[in-house]
Amino acid sequence: MVTEYIPSLAKFYLNSYNNFTINNMSYIFQDWKRNNNNTKGKIITSLFRLAHTISSKKYLKYILFPYLLFYRFFVEWLLGIELPWHTKVGSGLIVYHGQSIVVNKNSIIGYNCTMRQCLTIGNAKKNGKSPTIGNNVEIGANVCIIGDITIGDYVTIGAGSVVVKNIPPHSIVVGNPARVINTMS
């Protein structure tokens, strides 16, 4: 009975590994095209995607737990980027000048978003809700996006802005507190 169990367990892990590698290799490198000449951005996004994949599958989380520790040490402590592996991030993420970036794990970031240095995306109070950022959003340097707010699609947030209210789609936003200065059509 034990000898029958071992091969089936081995087959399960082998099939799981094959499915992981075949189906998720494109997932792990999905941001490379948009980070064309940005080596640091490619490294950060690939490490994030791999950690996200590992943490989403219970058996991989236990087997590859050392990688998750490596991710936390390398990306968070050495590079200074707190992008938790549980964060929901759409494809096409660009990270320019990746340093001093803090993203709450409950934040949701859409497709084709651009992040720059000294960025904070998080909740306004302990256990509060986090922002939802739409698709094709450009976020400038030294921006704070705080609270239970929604940033619409195709929004550009200027450097140094503090966003604490909802932003409609197709807007350009600047200032502290952030205000819409232009609406694109």
Side-chain angles (χ1 to χ4, degrees):
M1 184 187 282
V2 173
T3 56
E4 292 173 3
Y5 178 72
I6 292 174
S8 64
L9 184 63
K11 285 179 189 175
F12 169 75
Y13 281 116
L14 183 59
N15 287 337
S16 299
Y17 177 75
N18 287 337
N19 289 336
F20 170 73
T21 55
I22 293 168
N23 296 335
N24 291 311
M25 290 309 283
S26 61
Y27 174 78
I28 292 167
F29 298 111
Q30 67 183 317
D31 304 311
W32 277 41
K33 190 174 186 178
R34 292 220 31 196
N35 285 287
N36 189 18
N37 293 321
N38 181 6
T39 305
K40 191 173 184 182
K42 287 180 182 179
I43 291 168
I44 293 164
T45 56
S46 298
L47 292 174
F48 166 73
R49 298 293 181 187
L50 181 58
H52 182 78
T53 301
I54 291 169
S55 69
S56 66
K57 302 197 183 320
K58 192 171 188 177
Y59 62 92
L60 283 177
K61 192 186 297 187
Y62 293 119
I63 295 170
L64 298 174
F65 185 73
Y67 174 79
L68 296 176
L69 291 176
F70 164 77
Y71 175 82
R72 172 132 317 151
F73 174 75
F74 182 72
V75 174
E76 289 188 13
W77 294 354
L78 291 181
L79 296 180
I81 299 171
E82 290 185 33
L83 184 58
W85 54 70
H86 298 296
T87 308
K88 295 176 185 171
V89 180
S91 65
L93 176 67
I94 298 177
V95 178
Y96 287 125
H97 314 294
Q99 195 166 343
S100 300
I101 295 175
V102 179
V103 179
N104 184 287
K105 69 179 180 179
N106 297 319
S107 300
I108 300 172
I109 300 172
Y111 298 100
N112 299 325
C113 287
T114 302
M115 297 181 183
R116 290 182 178 77
Q117 70 273 14
C118 300
L119 168 67
T120 300
I121 301 173
N123 48 5
K125 55 187 172 186
K126 188 175 182 177
N127 299 326
K129 293 187 177 181
S130 297
T132 300
I133 298 173
N135 301 326
N136 301 298
V137 175
E138 293 266 340
I139 304 172
N142 202 27
V143 170
C144 292
I145 303 172
I146 304 295
D148 182 17
I149 61 172
T150 301
I151 308 294
D153 296 341
Y154 299 97
V155 170
T156 301
I157 302 173
S161 298
V162 178
V163 183
V164 293
K165 294 181 182 176
N166 293 338
I167 305 296
H170 302 280
S171 300
I172 298 174
V173 177
V174 296
N176 179 4
R179 65 191 184 288
V180 178
I181 61 165
N182 195 2
T183 303
M184 303 174 284
S185 43

